Amino acid sequence: MFDPTWKRSVRIAAAAGAASILLSFAQVAVAEDLVNTGYFGDVAIKGYDPVAYFTQNRAVEGSAKYSYHWLGATWHFASAENRDLFAGEPAKYAPQYGGYCADGVSLGTVTTNIDPKAWRIIEGKLYISYDPGAADGFEKIPTKVVDSQKHWSEVENTLVSEKLEKNWQQSSPN
């Protein structure tokens, strides 16, 4: 005799498995575009040119005229040359931790508000902080870089959870 309860259990397990797979894909898609664009808009690092930190050794405002879309955000550049350098190797020029405050990440927290003029290049990588004092501390305290690397995965998980929750709320009927 056929047990209909068994059939229903298999359907529930299959649905749960499919939901789990879809959630995993959603988390990967969200994690891929964890770029700090502030509280509004889609422009990374408040419109500053990430390449200029390396080539001009200073914070330079970019222009929408020279923009490039990468990881779900729009990046602005001061010139077409900088835009093209970035497009060729974005990971080389993009700030660490998606442009979230590096000092905050070193403490295991999310700090969305940054000051693009509060930055440091340490061992060839760009770190942006929320103010000049935090950038100084990040540079002068060697464990800050190690701590930020250690805490990034938990901060990233927090950001992914927040983004999934926001997306869920936006897609749910009111």
Side-chain angles (χ1 to χ4, degrees):
M1 177 171 189
F2 184 70
D3 180 6
T5 306
W6 175 84
K7 187 176 179 181
R8 185 177 57 205
S9 297
V10 169
R11 274 190 266 159
I12 290 170
S20 176
I21 289 169
L22 288 174
L23 182 59
S24 295
F25 283 126
Q27 287 176 320
V28 168
V30 169
E32 287 179 351
D33 66 357
L34 285 178
V35 174
N36 183 2
T37 57
Y39 296 106
F40 306 102
D42 74 338
V43 178
I45 56 175
K46 296 187 175 183
Y48 277 71
D49 181 338
V51 175
Y53 293 105
F54 293 91
T55 61
Q56 297 180 35
N57 199 33
R58 64 187 182 101
V60 175
E61 286 188 67
S63 167
K65 179 179 175 182
Y66 307 110
S67 63
Y68 183 75
H69 194 76
W70 182 65
L71 290 183
T74 302
W75 300 76
H76 288 178
F77 302 90
S79 68
E81 179 183 1
N82 283 7
R83 180 198 56 215
D84 296 345
L85 283 170
F86 185 87
E89 291 184 89
K92 176 180 178 179
Y93 298 105
Q96 298 300 293
Y97 317 120
Y100 286 91
C101 174
D103 190 58
V105 172
S106 76
L107 301 170
T109 62
V110 176
T111 306
T112 301
N113 195 24
I114 56 158
D115 178 356
K117 295 178 183 176
W119 62 279
R120 295 293 183 273
I121 293 177
I122 302 170
E123 296 182 12
K125 296 182 181 190
L126 175 61
Y127 298 90
I128 298 178
S129 296
Y130 67 93
D131 71 16
D136 286 344
F138 194 83
E139 180 180 41
K140 292 176 182 172
I141 302 171
T143 58
K144 288 281 192 177
V145 173
V146 172
D147 289 343
S148 64
Q149 292 168 347
K150 180 176 71 175
H151 289 296
W152 175 238
S153 63
E154 70 187 64
V155 170
E156 188 177 33
N157 286 337
T158 299
L159 291 166
V160 167
S161 296
E162 288 174 358
K163 195 160 195 167
L164 286 172
E165 178 67 25
K166 181 180 176 184
N167 290 347
W168 175 261
Q169 289 173 353
Q170 290 174 345
S171 66
S172 296
N174 292 331

